[in-house]
Every structure is written in C-alpha cells, then in structure tokens.
Amino acid sequence: MDELKYRIAGSRTMNDKEIGEYDFYSLTDLCYIDMFSPVKNYLVPHYHTSKISFTDARKYEGAKQLFPNLVQLDSGLLVNMDQVEKIEETRFGLMAHFSGGLQREIAKNKIHMEIVRDKMR
C-alpha cells in the first residue's frame, strides 16, 4: 500500500486523550483507524500503529508547533514569508501580497518586525 508511506500531521494520544505532542507521524506501522471524539459530537480519525496512537492535528496551537518556520502576523494567522512577494501599508493596515495574486491583511502592529519591513522595501 503506497499510501502508507506518507506522514500525517497529528496529535499524539494516550488512553483516548490528546497529550499535546504534535508531530508528523508515519503510517508505516499502521494497524487500524477508528473514530476519536476530541469534543462532543465531533468525530475524527484515530490512527493506531504498532508503537503509538495519534489523531489529526486540528488546532491552531498544533499548527504553530508543527510549522515553526511560519511567522505569526496576526492572531490566528501563520504566514510562509517565502511566499510573500511584498507587504504594503494601506490606509486600513498592512496587506501581504503572495505569489499568484493572493492577498491577506495582517496586523498593523507587526510593522516593527524586521521580516515585515524587509518585504515592504
């Protein structure tokens, strides 16, 4: 099964509870998948390998840990600065322009960050 050579961004579980260890987990030793309920009325896949159990990462804190090279440019916004072509100051705040025409407003108070100033030049 070629699909088992991939890794899943997930949260480790013990005794059917998430323990806050976020990582990219291998499916190589996958034994089975059942359903996990992190909150009431919400089911997600729960992966069980011969060594550990984990579930998909669905929380912002998990993403922050899994992708430490992304820069937090607003509450709830992680940005890959390698994809930012430029940042411009508008009358409403700061706007990041990405490859392919995608744009996203970012927090104005991030203007002091060197990585943001470099993209404004």
Side-chain angles (χ1 to χ4, degrees):
M1 300 179 107
D2 285 341
E3 62 273 13
L4 295 183
K5 68 181 178 185
Y6 297 104
R7 293 166 115 21
I8 293 184
S11 173
R12 187 157 179 204
T13 60
M14 285 184 133
N15 302 322
D16 289 328
K17 293 188 191 301
E18 290 181 283
I19 60 172
E21 287 182 19
Y22 296 94
D23 205 345
F24 294 94
Y25 296 102
S26 172
L27 293 176
T28 303
D29 299 341
L30 182 68
C31 296
Y32 66 92
I33 301 171
D34 60 8
M35 299 306 290
F36 181 71
S37 182
V39 294
K40 187 177 180 179
N41 296 325
Y42 187 68
L43 294 172
V44 296
H46 193 198
Y47 304 87
H48 301 270
T49 71
S50 58
K51 298 177 182 126
I52 63 167
S53 297
F54 59 94
T55 187
D56 295 311
R58 301 160 312 286
K59 298 176 184 164
Y60 184 70
E61 285 304 314
K64 284 172 65 173
Q65 287 182 37
L66 288 165
F67 304 102
N69 293 333
L70 300 182
V71 178
Q72 187 168 359
L73 293 182
D74 208 337
S75 60
L77 177 64
L78 297 173
V79 176
N80 179 356
M81 295 303 288
D82 292 340
Q83 293 295 318
V84 176
E85 290 181 342
K86 70 176 181 175
I87 295 175
E88 70 175 321
E89 190 169 10
T90 70
R91 65 184 196 165
F92 302 109
L94 298 176
M95 183 68 67
H97 297 270
F98 297 87
S99 308
L102 188 62
Q103 301 178 68
R104 180 62 161 88
E105 192 173 335
I106 63 174
K108 186 163 180 82
N109 67 353
K110 300 299 182 180
I111 199 166
H112 72 279
M113 295 176 69
E114 185 176 337
I115 197 163
V116 169
R117 286 194 317 266
D118 287 346
K119 295 288 184 170
M120 293 179 78
R121 296 182 182 137

